[in-house]
Amino acid sequence: MYKRLTGMQDILPEDQPYWRFVRKKIDQITALYGFERLDVPIIEETGLYVRGVGQGTDIVDKEMYSFQDKGKDNVTLRPEFTAGFMRSYVENHLYKRPQPVKLFTIGPIFRYERPQAGRFRQHTQFNVEALGVEDPAIDFEVMSLAHQFFSELGFQGVHFQLNSTGCPQCRPQYIERLQAHYRLHYDEICDDCKRRLDRSPLRVLDCKASQCQPVIASAPKIADYLCDDCRLHFQSLLRYLDNAGLAYIVNHRLVRGLDYYRKTVFEVWVEGIGAQAAVCGGGRYDGLGQEIGGPPTPGIGFGSGIERIVMAMKAQGLTVPGLPKPQVLVAYLGKEAKERAVPLVQELRWYNIGVILPFGDRSLKSQLRQANRERVRYVVIIGEDELARGRAQLRDLQEHQQQDVPLDTLRQWLSERLPIKAEK
RNA sequence: GUGACCAUAGCUCAAUAAGGUUAGAGCACCUGGUUGUGGCCCAGGAGGUUGUGGGUUCAAGUCCCACUGGUCACCCCA
């Protein structure tokens, strides 16, 4: 028997209402904010991600689905969207268009990780990117979109974890101070942090080991080391958020694992996805354009995992509308009645009336049970008697009533009361 | 990559404190109780080589080992 690959999952019909709801909200919210859809390939040259995401990051070092194709090209299943977006922006000369270019997409992302609650090797990401503008007002716009998105999905008290991670002007000085601080406490910190100190120093701030907490608490804060440019940018953003009443928590420990982030970084946390909290993570990546060989291009965006959103929605008891389903079942008794039922079902569907046809020549009782189970409103019953008279029994399962109607008026009778519609 | 836990019917679980005959139940499914009438109820039915492979034993779902898979957590992230 074949089984799903580790970390992959099937999205069964019963979960589709959530997915439909989230996708619909994505379409609405992006249209409202003026973001256009851009779809990029699911597979790119490996080099794009190695350069874009950065050597030394976990993604590049151990999480990419990379392989050589039949033409001996080194390719990789996309582990994130932003690098591909920047590639497309440069390749299609989108920088020639009025800036910013505001884009979004939704699609699968692949990372070879050990699965756990809220983490999969393939997950679906809603990505929003605004390229070409440095103005902190666009940082605000992107965050505002995220805020409205989650609020309208039904989440209560949506707020941001927010920080600035500086830029190449100021970050190095801060990192030196941070490393100096950690060297003073070298014996007290965990092994992971000893490793991080050289490879990815900002990450020590994110450590969860209890022994590291005092060292983190006494560590210098990057906010005190930002250059004028970064500080003013951050202050403007905070002001916009304040004025708009969007809640945030400045979290000095919030950092990113990817090299290209500058200045603004933010996340949205929600309850209900196990040890994971982030349902949205993003930031500014002004260095990425040049990194992959394009023009210097400011950009800000976020990614949001749909699986995590759905999981959190369920955990928090958020409800979504049901999907439309047929409201009529045509039951038949006997071979000749079936001969008439099959084209009747076809006809009704052509007139936009959703119909279920039972299969297998089962008893009327069984067909009615099915009708009840599938919660249709009406059952059309065609038997020998009815067939001979050119009529059908029309049973209303909700009102427990039944009437005898001419077969050729069924279409009109039903279409008057049953345009196909969503359940409840 | 590291660690912990888990694996019995489609699903959720049972199977006397440390082995003992044909592995049970609820839900779901099918059939019947009404020559052709749903929900509720009643009766019946189908559905398992107890994850795989070894081992211990007179005897293994139960004990031991390995493997596979899953879950959760770490690393890290959505």
Side-chain angles (χ1 to χ4, degrees):
Chain A
M1 215 27 213
Y2 291 109
K3 305 184 67 173
R4 270 171 293 166
L5 258 24
T6 298
M8 305 291 166
Q9 43 177 1
D10 301 315
I11 303 166
L12 297 175
E14 49 267 39
D15 277 342
Q16 295 296 343
Y18 289 93
W19 283 76
R20 164 82 64 96
F21 184 70
V22 173
R23 282 197 209 96
K24 192 172 169 188
K25 190 56 68 183
I26 286 169
D27 285 341
Q28 289 172 349
I29 205 81
T30 51
L32 183 65
Y33 280 74
F35 283 69
E36 298 178 293
R37 181 155 181 160
L38 169 69
D39 288 320
V40 294
I42 211 165
I43 177 171
E44 301 260 11
E45 268 182 64
T46 296
L48 171 66
Y49 297 116
V50 174
R51 290 291 304 281
V53 176
Q55 217 120 32
T57 61
D58 284 332
I59 287 181
V60 170
D61 286 359
K62 55 182 199 185
E63 295 178 359
M64 295 206 301
Y65 275 89
S66 297
F67 59 97
Q68 213 172 51
D69 69 14
K70 293 184 189 301
K72 305 290 187 202
D73 289 324
N74 291 308
V75 297
T76 295
L77 258 39
R78 67 185 174 211
E80 58 120 48
F81 270 116
T82 308
F85 261 51
M86 187 59 82
R87 192 226 81 232
S88 179
Y89 176 86
V90 173
E91 182 173 351
N92 295 299
H93 315 297
L94 301 188
Y95 49 83
K96 299 281 195 190
R97 301 186 183 188
Q99 304 295 298
V101 176
K102 303 197 295 184
L103 304 165
F104 80 98
T105 199
I106 175 172
I109 294 292
F110 301 84
R111 290 181 199 168
Y112 193 88
E113 303 180 271
R114 283 290 289 272
Q116 69 183 73
R119 172 181 299 144
F120 315 97
R121 288 185 176 176
Q122 176 184 336
H123 78 274
T124 310
Q125 210 168 90
F126 165 39
N127 232 245
V128 168
E129 312 285 358
L131 297 103
V133 165
E134 274 180 284
D135 189 340
I138 203 163
D139 297 38
F140 167 77
E141 179 163 309
V142 166
M143 292 176 71
S144 176
L145 185 158
H147 187 278
Q148 191 168 350
F149 173 61
F150 290 109
S151 297
E152 290 187 1
L153 285 177
F155 290 104
Q156 301 288 316
V158 176
H159 64 277
F160 295 98
Q161 301 289 319
L162 180 64
N163 196 17
S164 174
T165 54
C167 69
Q169 290 301 310
C170 52
R171 195 188 296 166
Q173 285 89 315
Y174 170 68
I175 288 175
E176 270 180 40
R177 293 301 192 96
L178 186 65
Q179 288 170 326
H181 170 77
Y182 265 73
R183 269 184 231 110
L184 293 178
H185 300 277
Y186 198 77
D187 296 337
E188 303 158 37
I189 60 176
C190 70
D191 291 342
D192 282 334
C193 280
K194 285 172 181 165
R195 233 180 345 97
R196 292 184 183 110
L197 211 46
D198 291 321
R199 294 189 53 182
S200 184
L202 289 181
R203 300 268 199 77
V204 296
L205 297 169
D206 200 27
C207 184
K208 288 163 200 149
S210 58
Q211 69 205 88
C212 294
Q213 300 312 306
V215 186
I216 294 170
S218 59
K221 290 174 179 169
I222 192 166
D224 299 328
Y225 294 85
L226 294 178
C227 61
D228 288 349
D229 185 33
C230 286
R231 197 178 62 252
L232 290 172
H233 187 99
F234 196 47
Q235 285 173 349
S236 296
L237 176 57
L238 297 185
R239 201 163 58 245
Y240 297 140
L241 292 168
D242 287 334
N243 291 343
L246 295 194
Y248 62 87
I249 294 169
V250 174
N251 182 346
H252 298 291
R253 300 172 53 171
L254 186 69
V255 295
R256 298 274 82 159
L258 310 187
D259 285 358
Y260 54 62
Y261 282 107
R262 305 275 169 85
K263 297 192 171 81
T264 311
V265 295
F266 65 91
E267 290 185 0
V268 175
W269 294 353
V270 299
E271 304 275 317
I273 34 181
Q276 314 305 323
V279 78
C280 169
R284 182 161 276 283
Y285 45 89
D286 298 347
L288 178 58
Q290 274 182 297
E291 190 59 50
I292 65 167
T297 306
I300 178 154
F302 68 79
S304 184
I306 311 297
E307 286 81 358
R308 284 189 181 180
I309 290 173
V310 170
M311 200 175 300
M313 288 178 76
K314 286 181 180 174
Q316 297 188 19
L318 305 185
T319 57
V320 297
L323 266 29
K325 51 191 289 191
Q327 293 295 303
V328 178
L329 180 142
V330 174
Y332 54 89
L333 287 152
K335 192 161 184 284
E336 289 181 18
K338 186 178 186 180
E339 296 292 325
R340 182 71 187 86
V342 170
L344 172 65
V345 166
Q346 161 78 348
E347 180 194 352
L348 293 175
R349 288 173 178 157
W350 270 83
Y351 284 88
N352 203 32
I353 299 165
V355 188
I356 293 170
L357 178 72
F359 299 110
D361 304 320
R362 290 176 287 122
S363 68
L364 179 59
K365 182 196 196 81
S366 173
Q367 296 182 62
L368 281 164
R369 274 187 182 149
Q370 179 181 352
N372 189 63
R373 184 174 57 237
E374 311 220 29
R375 285 202 257 281
V376 304
R377 175 73 189 270
Y378 301 105
V379 177
V380 174
I381 302 169
I382 305 174
E384 306 288 322
D385 299 353
E386 290 80 8
L387 203 56
R389 293 183 291 120
R391 302 176 77 87
Q393 299 296 322
L394 185 51
R395 186 169 180 80
D396 183 332
L397 295 193
Q398 188 173 308
E399 300 299 323
H400 310 283
Q401 289 171 349
Q402 187 165 313
Q403 55 182 301
D404 187 89
V405 303
L407 265 173
D408 51 19
T409 64
L410 264 177
R411 192 188 81 213
Q412 191 182 356
W413 195 95
L414 288 168
S415 61
E416 276 168 11
R417 35 214 110 191
L418 279 184
I420 192 160
K421 61 177 189 280
E423 183 186 31
K424 89 181 178 184

